[in-house]
Amino acid sequence: SAVISQKPSRDICQRGTSLTIQCQVDSQVTMMFWYRQQPGQSLTLIATANQGSEATYESGFVIDKFPISRPNLTFSTLTVSNMSPEDSSIYLCSVVGGGGQPQHFGDGTRLSIL
Amino acid sequence: AQSVTQLGSHVSVSEGALVLLRCNYSSSVPPYLFWYVQYPNQGLQLLLKYTSAATLVKGINGFEAEFKKSETSFHLTKPSAHMSDAAEYFCAVSVTAGNMLTFGGGTRLMVKP
């Protein structure tokens, strides 16, 4: 399966600032997704990152708060904007290689907002 | 729309005992079902997947799951628990193998010596 590198692995940020999380894959993939895992909770899909076009957001998530880029088939970024303590979560990137393969996940970014 | 229910947010077993983690799903189309494991401070690792082939699916680390359409279930089992199995386990469903996943609430497995 693809090797997924997510950066940073963790960060502590100040309220009102923004952080960009990077997801790099070692091979071209067809699909890339971003999930949020709030403390003690399950995973919730934020959006599907579309190559060369705007991401597809799930209900409850908006582009102004979580802008996403996917300039090519191996790289995507998620920005958490104007952060508040409620944004403290683990953010995970996942990818699908194609051909009916399942999703594989990066190690996640553990984000704490003070 | 799909949904997943995992019965029991916490399960505790003794080392060497049977592990049974329950997952029930709801799907308007034939589902693709997955079990993932999350170890502390790590991402999710795929344990096994069901994609409409054999109903009994074998995965990594000695885990297996059986798809039962009549019961809309996909329970995860392992005959003998090991201390290293202590982790969070997530059941997930999608409409295709590579599509977005809907996760259950997760089950934390604790293994007692």
Side-chain angles (χ1 to χ4, degrees):
Chain A
S1 61
V3 176
I4 305 165
S5 175
Q6 219 180 301
K7 294 180 180 179
S9 59
R10 61 179 66 244
D11 208 340
I12 300 173
C13 299
Q14 296 296 320
R15 186 193 301 253
T17 62
S18 299
L19 178 74
T20 295
I21 302 167
Q22 298 181 357
C23 179
Q24 178 74 56
V25 193
D26 69 344
S27 59
Q28 293 186 347
V29 293
T30 56
M31 305 286 286
M32 297 184 79
F33 302 92
W34 287 98
Y35 290 83
R36 181 176 72 180
Q37 186 178 21
Q38 294 179 298
Q41 303 295 316
S42 185
L43 283 80
T44 301
L45 181 66
I46 297 172
T48 302
N50 299 311
Q51 193 259 328
S53 64
E54 188 173 293
T56 304
Y57 290 85
E58 297 301 305
S59 176
F61 298 95
V62 295
I63 188 172
D64 290 346
K65 177 66 176 178
F66 297 103
I68 289 170
S69 76
R70 190 182 171 191
N72 56 51
L73 294 176
T74 63
F75 184 77
S76 178
T77 66
L78 167 73
T79 299
V80 186
S81 302
N82 189 25
M83 289 183 286
S84 67
E86 292 71 36
D87 294 320
S88 296
S89 296
I90 302 172
Y91 293 87
L92 296 110
C93 167
S94 74
V95 305
V96 177
Q101 295 180 36
Q103 285 187 36
H104 292 280
F105 287 79
D107 282 342
T109 296
R110 283 148 182 83
L111 184 56
S112 297
I113 315 303
L114 302 180
Chain B
Q2 296 80 39
S3 67
V4 178
T5 301
Q6 292 183 239
L7 296 176
S9 58
H10 293 78
V11 170
S12 180
V13 301
S14 297
E15 191 173 20
L18 172 72
V19 175
L20 171 61
L21 305 182
R22 299 178 186 275
C23 172
N24 289 87
Y25 69 90
S26 172
S27 178
S28 56
V29 298
Y32 288 77
L33 294 160
F34 308 86
W35 276 99
Y36 287 87
V37 60
Q38 185 177 36
Y39 298 102
N41 296 314
Q42 294 187 27
L44 273 69
Q45 180 181 4
L46 180 68
L47 275 178
L48 49 82
K49 61 180 180 180
Y50 167 77
T51 57
S52 76
T55 56
L56 182 63
V57 181
K58 294 187 183 298
I60 63 171
N61 301 338
F63 284 94
E64 63 181 35
E66 185 172 10
F67 173 70
K68 292 187 177 181
K69 184 178 179 180
S70 61
E71 300 178 7
T72 61
S73 69
F74 190 57
H75 301 332
L76 182 71
T77 61
K78 182 174 180 178
S80 177
H82 192 273
M83 296 297 291
S84 61
D85 295 326
E88 187 90 19
Y89 291 80
F90 293 96
C91 182
V93 64
S94 71
V95 295
T96 65
N99 210 328
M100 57 169 284
L101 292 169
T102 300
F103 284 88
T107 297
R108 181 167 299 276
L109 175 66
M110 294 167 283
V111 182
K112 300 175 291 186

